[in-house]
Amino acid sequence: MRVYVPLTLPRLAEAHEAGELGPGPLVAYAVTPALREWYVSDDIEELEYAALNRAAAASLRLIAGDPGAARRRVVVAADVPDGAAVADPDRGLDREALGEVRIASALPLAKAAAVHVDSGDAEGDVAAAASALGAADQGDDDARFVVDGVEDHELLWFATQEIPGLIAG
């Protein structure tokens, strides 16, 4: 099963140094039954893209909570055995939990298939979105517009061998 783990660049650096994402439990995103039902598609690539975008939104929240983190969303795509990532059945179709899964233990970075990161061009919009999250959560439509606007930036794909370059700059 492919999972998408939201991070920040400092957390990616920690994972690279430790050789694993963790410790567990980890929050990740995947193609869950609830995500399938919400997205209404049978196209696995579209569904995985939706899960990646959910993880990117979670990365934005991590950035908002870490003033020292670079304003670039980071998502690690990794493959885990079926059953290793578990959705919370009590959250059902809760929009905030769509695609969310838990992985009980640390995930070796060797299981990572790729890293998705914003380009430097996105930093201003990511910074604005991170600053607007609180107001958006309180129902401010203008703030929601700013937060939603960051989705206009596609995350770039990087091979895991490129992690040292990502965390160095």
Side-chain angles (χ1 to χ4, degrees):
M1 165 183 253
R2 174 68 47 102
V3 297
Y4 299 90
V5 182
L7 296 174
T8 60
L9 280 173
R11 289 185 183 190
L12 180 62
E14 291 169 8
H16 180 67
E17 186 174 316
E20 65 183 16
L21 298 165
L26 294 171
V27 173
Y29 293 82
V31 178
T32 62
L35 183 72
R36 274 184 198 276
E37 187 173 329
W38 172 74
Y39 199 76
V40 192
S41 175
D42 289 330
D43 184 326
I44 191 64
E45 287 184 16
E46 286 182 19
L47 291 164
E48 286 183 344
Y49 185 71
L52 170 64
N53 284 331
R54 302 290 297 163
S59 174
L60 180 64
R61 291 195 174 278
L62 294 173
I63 290 167
D66 184 355
R71 289 352 212 182
R72 295 171 70 190
R73 297 168 297 163
V74 178
V75 176
V76 173
D79 295 313
V80 299
D82 288 344
V86 180
D88 183 347
D90 294 332
R91 299 216 38 206
L93 290 178
D94 175 359
R95 181 163 163 72
E96 297 305 312
L98 288 172
E100 187 177 289
V101 294
R102 299 255 189 259
I103 302 168
S105 58
L107 183 63
L109 205 49
K111 298 279 186 189
V115 181
H116 302 270
V117 181
D118 275 311
S119 72
D121 294 347
E123 286 183 359
D125 289 340
V126 171
S131 294
L133 264 176
D137 288 347
Q138 297 299 316
D140 182 316
D141 289 336
D142 291 335
R144 173 56 44 204
F145 181 79
V146 171
V147 171
D148 290 346
V150 80
E151 293 176 13
D152 291 341
H153 294 280
E154 294 286 330
L155 297 178
L156 303 176
W157 183 95
F158 294 91
T160 56
Q161 298 87 336
E162 296 177 272
I163 292 174
L166 289 169
I167 59 179

